[in-house]
Amino acid sequence: MITLILAESSLELVPPDLARHPSITSHAQKLGRDASEILLDNSWHFAAMKGLRNEIKRGRPDLVHHSVLEAVSTPLYRRDGLNLFVHTIHDKVIRLGLQVRVPRSYHRFAGLVEKLYREGRVSAGDVLLEISDMTLSGILDEISPSAVIGLSSRGTPSSYAKVAADLPDGACIIVGGFQKGGFSEKTSGLLDSAYSVEDMPLEGHVVISRMLYEYEKTIFM
Amino acid sequence: MITLILAESSLELVPPDLARHPSITSHAQKLGRDASEILLDNSWHFAAMKGLRNEIKRGRPDLVHHSVLEAVSTPLYRRDGLNLFVHTIHDKVIRLGLQVRVPRSYHRFAGLVEKLYREGRVSAGDVLLEISDMTLSGILDEISPSAVIGLSSRGTPSSYAKVAADLPDGACIIVGGFQKGGFSEKTSGLLDSAYSVEDMPLEGHVVISRMLYEYEKTIFM
């Protein structure tokens, strides 16, 4: 079994100091919800997010959804060969252990994550999802992987197949859960190695799909 | 260059005879739209869709979104090596030629497709998208591919790498744009060959991602 961590993911509730911005209050009203209970989402809250600290790594719950779906749709996950975590930009961690049924519809995914933020735990199918305050270093301490491999356009040039062939059982792969920009120094400092597996920057979900596929080949074939 | 067609896709506007169902009128009201102008969506309209003819192939615009995103996020598409079409269950065809910027947020994707149904053409980035009344056979006549290959769990067992290695330039790959059930007889009759590339049924976006990745290897490496 290996672990995949989506790191520094652009997933968070609307921060208190933005909750009164018109682009956010009108969206919350449309949803019939309190602004402080909805996910920060650049596609709705663009005007409110202008100039926000670390803006390029925030408010893209859609990308987190695509990456999570990519991982849980693989035979590797469905055969219990993959342990999955979402680590957020503000050091929360969502554990998507095994056999979680992640909603395919975005609005259901958002509803699930919002409930998770509100209640701390929520059931998805037969499984209980949990969110906790935890750093990336904290999760790594807990799972103590045999190797921590980051995939990043700033890493050493390699290929999915090469990274997969060298991946020991118990390894942890780290992919960014954000749109742009590389890993923070704090994240980079936790990696045993970082590899660049494409010659153009690609979305996280593409990298996840290809990496898990090549890894499957080394164990299922 | 190759072509990918998402066939019999579960994408359509709310049909007239469902437009007065409470689950649909309340959703349309929430969106501030006319029921006849919104996409049929099983995650909102489940109650209205019960017993609908060919129900398992309808009302999953979320799956179509994932599959389209998967295709347009690949280096193959971004390097103009892939021509992409969405063929729907009711014989409409959306041409996603080259360099189309497909919205990552589902609500923006839905808005784009709804506008396309309403107006027939719509700009996405610098590109004009078009929808027309056309059968799968009609598109194939137009592009006259060198081979028409279907990927289906009912096909001859093979692998992505084998299918990719044998794919001639100008070939067309057909993947189902629906959740469950195989290709219709009409679609099956248009295939030169059908291959099963996984030993468990997988979502279309996973199959698309893996197939295009293996094809890229044969041309970029």
Side-chain angles (χ1 to χ4, degrees), chain B residues 80-95:
Chain B
D80 294 345
L82 181 71
N83 197 9
L84 177 64
F85 296 85
V86 175
H87 163 258
T88 78
I89 182 86
H90 293 128
D91 286 336
K92 304 264 181 195
V93 169
I94 302 174
R95 294 149 198 270

Side-chain angles (χ1 to χ4, degrees), chain A residues 38-134:
Chain A
I38 64 172
L39 290 176
L40 184 68
D41 183 339
N42 181 60
S43 78
W44 290 102
H45 312 146
F46 182 72
M49 287 180 63
K50 262 196 148 172
L52 197 62
R53 197 174 55 83
N54 213 353
E55 185 183 345
I56 57 167
K57 282 193 180 168
R58 298 176 68 180
R60 291 302 304 267
D62 55 324
L63 300 191
V64 178
H65 186 218
H66 298 319
S67 284
V68 167
L69 275 189
E70 202 73 70
V72 300
S73 305
T74 56
L76 186 67
Y77 183 81
R78 289 166 59 185
R79 288 178 176 148
D80 295 344
L82 181 70
N83 198 8
L84 178 62
F85 296 85
V86 176
H87 163 258
T88 78
I89 182 86
H90 292 129
D91 286 335
K92 303 264 181 192
V93 169
I94 302 174
R95 293 149 199 271
L96 291 116
L98 302 175
Q99 302 291 339
V100 172
R101 289 180 61 109
V102 176
R104 267 55 187 165
S105 275
Y106 174 73
H107 73 97
R108 294 205 169 177
F109 172 76
L112 184 78
V113 176
E114 286 161 354
K115 195 171 175 201
L116 200 48
Y117 269 95
R118 209 162 55 235
E119 302 179 2
R121 52 180 62 192
V122 65
S123 62
D126 299 334
V127 185
L128 202 65
L129 284 188
E130 288 188 297
I131 192 170
S132 31
D133 290 311
M134 191 176 259

Side-chain angles (χ1 to χ4, degrees), chain A residues 43-44 62 66 69-70 73 78-79 104-105 107-108 199 201-203 209-210 213-214 216-217, chain B residues 43-44 62 66 69-70 78-79 104-105 107-108 199 201-203 209-210 213-214 216-217:
Chain A
S43 78
W44 290 102
D62 55 324
H66 298 319
L69 275 189
E70 202 73 70
S73 305
R78 289 166 59 185
R79 288 178 176 148
R104 267 55 187 165
S105 275
H107 73 97
R108 294 205 169 177
D199 53 9
L202 289 186
E203 287 169 68
S209 174
R210 295 176 174 208
Y213 169 59
E214 288 290 0
E216 277 179 17
K217 283 195 200 174
Chain B
S43 77
W44 291 102
D62 55 323
H66 297 145
L69 275 190
E70 201 74 68
R78 288 168 60 185
R79 289 178 175 148
R104 268 53 185 165
S105 274
H107 74 97
R108 294 205 168 176
D199 53 8
L202 289 187
E203 287 169 68
S209 174
R210 295 176 173 208
Y213 169 59
E214 288 289 0
E216 277 179 19
K217 285 195 200 173

